[in-house]
Amino acid sequence: HRYQLERLIRIDTPQGVDNEGEQRFGYVGSLESVEILEAYTETPEGKRIPVPADQIRTQDVSDDDDGRIFSDRKQKIVIYPQLAIGTKLYVRLDNHQHTPYFPGHFLFDEFFSPRLPVLDYRLVLVHDPKIAVKVVAKPHQGQALLKKLQGFEMTGGQVPAHSEDPQGSIRYEFQVKQPTAMARERAEVESTDFAAWIGATSFPDWGALGKAYQARSRPHSEPDEAIRTLALSLTATATTTKDKVRILHDWVAQHIRYLGVYVGAGGFVPRKASEILSTRYGDCKDHVALLEAMLHAVGIDSSPALINLGDAYRLPELAISNPINHVITYIPSLDLYVDSTAQFAAVGTLPTGDSDKPVIITATGELKRTPRQAPTRDGVRVSSRMSMLADGRIKGQSAMHYRGTYAIDSRQAWHDRQHKDPQNTVDWMLNRNKESGTGHFTYGNPLDLNTEWVVNSFYELDEIANVPGQSAFTLPYGLTMATIFHTSAYRQLTDRVTPFKCDLYNIEETTELKLPAKVAIDRIPTDAFYNEGGIHYSASYTRKGQVLRVSRRLLIDFGKTVCDQADAKLWEKARLAIRRNVRSQVFVR
């Protein structure tokens, strides 16, 4: 197929001058060609200044993702002259896709971000009636969002073919206007979940797209003798299917370096499993292909599962590929999903980017959903023992026990810190807790996924109270992470109009603080209990002699991963009550 793009952008801000002076149009060199037909800058007075031919350049796309992507992606770069606020930038180009990603199929989509005004967008789609194409146009979802984007209009649909169209053609015309825009709201989900869009596809449904992926990927997932030998030797002592899955998953996760090589249809087709094993690198598709081959070698069926790795939690009604951008592995006999590109995720746990997402099981075309976070699986428990010295300094130690998604994030963080100055980590963490002092950490191998993940800290804090004498202090945190104190500082937007991601919070904290014998305790904080709308908080404070024991628990579980304004209001109300309690003080003399 081919399309022509005609675009006119008006520069209204200094940021526009910086961001739009060079416009880039990407394409896959082995599948497409792009030709710039016309480009010019139009001054506020109406004068047109053509872009010189030597300022329209073709360039290989530089490696991105920290140098882990190599491809035959190219881009046309248009460098506009004489930019200033008030100028307009025009381009007209022709894109010819001579080789489709999926033979015999066509996909197109355009999403309209609430972030950018659109003065006049027009789409014309003409297709041969022999090709069954579904076309849908949807406005922004939510009355509050539409109210904020005042003046938004989306019109159009199928119209009679024009005389210049090929005989018998089917023609669609659409127009979109969005004169106002809005800033991105904190933690909002991907705009594909709620933004206006126009899509067209020859796939009857998402299952058909999944099966098209399977047809291209499955031949590359056959085990050869080297794969079979390795898989059998690794699982020789395994006694259960899940043990075999765990062993093979962990091997792929830790031995196949993430590196994408996208040539031709490589955005949708993995390399051969034998090549992936021999080179020891690959992207998500390659990880899945090799793991599928190794599982097959030991008698376990699996399937690629197409998914969004990000903050999109819905699929559009048309199979238009967006927002699918990732693939993981599904083992039907265990009803289990694994992601071997998530190097720190043990089998049975998915990173938050894969959790509670729609997936297309390519082997069957089924639409399923990955598990969401759960309090029984994901959380952190922090246990601290501290002693106050005679001058008000604190000496203590803490143990942080992480489970599920909390463990994934913590393992990765500590893996990345291993070769950095540990004092920088100490200073950063204490500063977050509004404290100062010295300390160190101990922990195991972040890549050993078969052991509980525990981080221990040992520290001495500078004075937190002016003793001896009358004083008051909040309970210290020392060298601890993921604390209720920080969670309660995260203010919610209560007038938001877009849905937002609401992760599970599951934090338990116990602290034992021993005070010097000569320090008299006058008052300790009062117990607290809060339970409303999926938010539970409890705190108990007890004293035995000079020892103060504190137990706090915070569980935020709305029963969903995508929340709305009503949930934000509930959280903000709870946050203020929780913050008041965690900031309460111990009075001494």
Side-chain angles (χ1 to χ4, degrees):
H1 72 272
R2 67 191 311 147
Y3 72 84
Q4 279 202 359
L5 170 71
E6 187 176 14
R7 186 168 76 183
L8 184 67
I9 296 176
R10 187 181 67 209
I11 303 299
D12 289 338
T13 66
Q15 289 79 10
V17 174
D18 293 337
N19 296 340
E20 301 297 338
E22 295 181 10
Q23 293 185 18
R24 300 168 185 265
F25 305 91
Y27 61 101
V28 179
S30 57
L31 304 182
E32 304 168 87
S33 63
V34 171
E35 181 183 0
I36 305 297
L37 303 176
E38 185 180 10
Y40 59 78
T41 301
E42 182 178 314
T43 68
E45 296 74 32
K47 179 182 178 182
R48 293 183 178 182
I49 306 169
V51 175
D54 63 353
Q55 297 303 298
I56 299 175
R57 305 175 183 180
T58 302
Q59 185 182 80
D60 291 335
V61 174
S62 59
D63 305 338
D64 56 10
D65 199 15
D66 298 325
R68 295 181 297 171
I69 303 294
F70 297 92
S71 70
D72 64 344
R73 294 172 181 163
K74 297 182 181 296
Q75 57 187 359
K76 290 285 185 178
I77 304 177
V78 180
I79 305 173
Y80 288 90
Q82 299 189 33
L83 260 69
I85 293 175
T87 56
K88 298 177 183 178
L89 310 180
Y90 175 84
V91 67
R92 182 165 60 90
L93 64 81
D94 180 85
N95 177 294
H96 179 208
Q97 184 169 359
H98 49 77
T99 304
Y101 286 109
F102 296 107
H105 283 286
F106 163 77
L107 305 103
F108 167 84
D109 63 75
E110 184 82 63
F111 284 82
F112 298 91
S113 169
R115 316 293 154 238
L116 294 173
V118 178
L119 300 185
D120 187 14
Y121 172 94
R122 297 173 187 265
L123 170 68
V124 176
L125 171 64
V126 179
H127 72 85
D128 190 315
K130 297 176 183 177
I131 305 173
V133 177
K134 291 184 175 182
V135 181
V136 167
K138 290 284 187 181
H140 297 292
Q141 301 301 296
Q143 290 303 312
L145 176 59
L146 284 169
K147 184 177 180 180
K148 197 157 190 175
L149 297 175
Q150 291 184 4
F152 173 83
E153 293 181 10
M154 174 180 278
T155 58
Q158 187 173 347
V159 298
H162 286 195
S163 58
E164 66 268 22
D165 296 339
Q167 188 172 4
S169 294
I170 296 175
R171 183 183 183 96
Y172 292 85
E173 294 182 3
F174 295 95
Q175 184 174 5
V176 175
K177 293 184 178 180
Q178 185 171 288
T180 58
M182 54 173 279
R184 179 180 175 86
E185 294 182 332
R186 183 189 307 152
E188 73 177 32
V189 297
E190 289 289 340
S191 60
T192 53
D193 275 12
F194 60 85
W197 62 279
I198 301 172
T201 181
S202 60
F203 286 109
D205 51 41
W206 284 99
L209 188 151
K211 288 182 178 179
Y213 178 95
Q214 179 78 359
R216 304 206 70 177
S217 68
R218 184 65 186 88
H220 292 208
S221 303
E222 289 294 332
D224 64 2
E225 193 57 37
I227 291 173
R228 191 172 290 106
T229 299
L230 175 61
L232 290 171
S233 66
L234 288 171
T235 58
T237 60
T239 57
T240 68
T241 297
K242 190 165 186 178
D243 282 342
K244 293 178 181 179
V245 170
R246 177 182 52 78
I247 291 168
L248 297 179
H249 163 274
D250 290 359
W251 190 92
V252 173
Q254 295 178 20
H255 290 84
I256 303 302
R257 177 169 53 101
Y258 185 91
L259 180 72
V261 181
Y262 301 147
V263 178
F268 292 92
V269 182
R271 294 152 57 230
K272 289 186 178 298
S274 56
E275 180 186 350
I276 300 163
L277 178 63
S278 65
T279 59
R280 300 291 176 94
Y281 63 73
D283 65 2
C284 59
K285 304 182 304 297
D286 296 340
H287 275 73
V288 168
L290 178 57
L291 181 55
E292 183 177 0
M294 296 178 78
L295 289 168
H296 184 69
V298 298
I300 301 173
D301 288 333
S302 68
S303 170
L306 303 178
I307 193 171
N308 169 264
L309 181 63
D311 293 331
Y313 293 87
R314 299 172 58 184
L315 291 178
E317 62 185 85
L318 290 188
I320 50 178
S321 80
N322 203 345
I324 297 298
N325 61 7
H326 188 47
V327 60
I328 61 177
T329 299
Y330 177 64
I331 295 96
S333 62
L334 300 173
D335 192 23
L336 179 69
Y337 300 90
V338 296
D339 186 346
S340 59
T341 66
Q343 192 177 23
F344 302 96
V347 166
T349 302
L350 289 173
T352 55
D354 289 336
S355 299
D356 197 20
K357 296 291 183 65
V359 289
I360 302 107
I361 309 302
T362 65
T364 62
E366 294 175 276
L367 266 65
K368 290 179 172 286
R369 199 168 189 94
T370 57
R372 62 180 297 270
Q373 290 178 285
T376 55
R377 186 179 60 244
D378 307 291
V380 58
R381 176 170 51 86
V382 182
S383 301
S384 302
R385 296 183 60 138
M386 307 179 191
S387 295
M388 178 182 285
L389 306 182
D391 58 1
R393 290 181 297 124
I394 295 290
K395 186 172 184 179
Q397 62 184 67
S398 299
M400 293 160 275
H401 299 255
Y402 296 90
R403 296 180 290 113
T405 52
Y406 281 75
I408 296 172
D409 295 340
S410 179
R411 285 177 184 272
Q412 174 142 23
W414 286 103
H415 180 269
D416 294 344
R417 293 184 186 119
Q418 285 183 111
H419 303 296
K420 296 180 179 178
D421 184 348
Q423 189 57 45
N424 288 342
T425 302
V426 170
D427 292 342
W428 167 75
M429 197 174 294
L430 289 178
N431 184 61
R432 287 180 80 241
N433 293 335
K434 311 300 182 186
E435 298 166 357
S436 60
T438 60
H440 68 279
F441 302 90
T442 62
Y443 50 89
N445 179 3
L447 291 171
D448 183 359
L449 304 182
N450 300 307
T451 58
E452 182 186 11
W453 180 243
V454 182
V455 178
N456 296 289
S457 62
F458 305 85
Y459 44 87
E460 291 190 11
L461 307 180
D462 297 334
E463 298 87 341
I464 68 164
N466 298 325
V467 293
Q470 289 187 338
S471 186
F473 60 89
T474 56
L475 286 161
Y477 277 100
L479 291 177
T480 58
M481 286 287 289
T483 62
I484 296 172
F485 171 74
H486 295 118
T487 306
S488 69
Y490 188 78
R491 187 178 63 84
Q492 287 291 349
L493 302 177
T494 56
D495 59 347
R496 63 183 310 127
V497 298
T498 59
F500 68 99
K501 184 179 178 182
C502 48
D503 287 323
L504 173 87
Y505 289 86
N506 186 18
I507 307 171
E508 296 180 63
E509 298 173 353
T510 58
T511 301
E512 181 179 285
L513 174 61
K514 184 178 181 180
L515 279 75
K518 294 183 179 181
V519 171
I521 304 174
D522 283 341
R523 191 169 78 204
I524 64 174
T526 57
D527 294 352
F529 183 81
Y530 190 99
N531 190 23
E532 185 178 342
I535 303 173
H536 169 84
Y537 174 73
S538 59
S540 66
Y541 303 84
T542 60
R543 171 193 169 191
K544 187 175 182 180
Q546 293 299 101
V547 177
L548 178 62
R549 290 185 174 87
V550 181
S551 178
R552 293 170 176 154
R553 170 79 193 283
L554 175 64
L555 175 62
I556 304 176
D557 185 5
F558 288 106
K560 55 189 177 181
T561 309
V562 178
C563 289
D564 55 23
Q565 183 186 33
D567 301 309
K569 289 181 176 178
L570 281 172
W571 171 224
E572 184 61 14
K573 177 183 174 183
R575 183 189 75 85
L576 295 174
I578 295 166
R579 188 155 182 81
R580 182 178 182 87
N581 182 260
V582 297
R583 289 169 58 87
S584 56
Q585 295 179 309
V586 178
F587 289 82
V588 298
R589 53 184 168 82

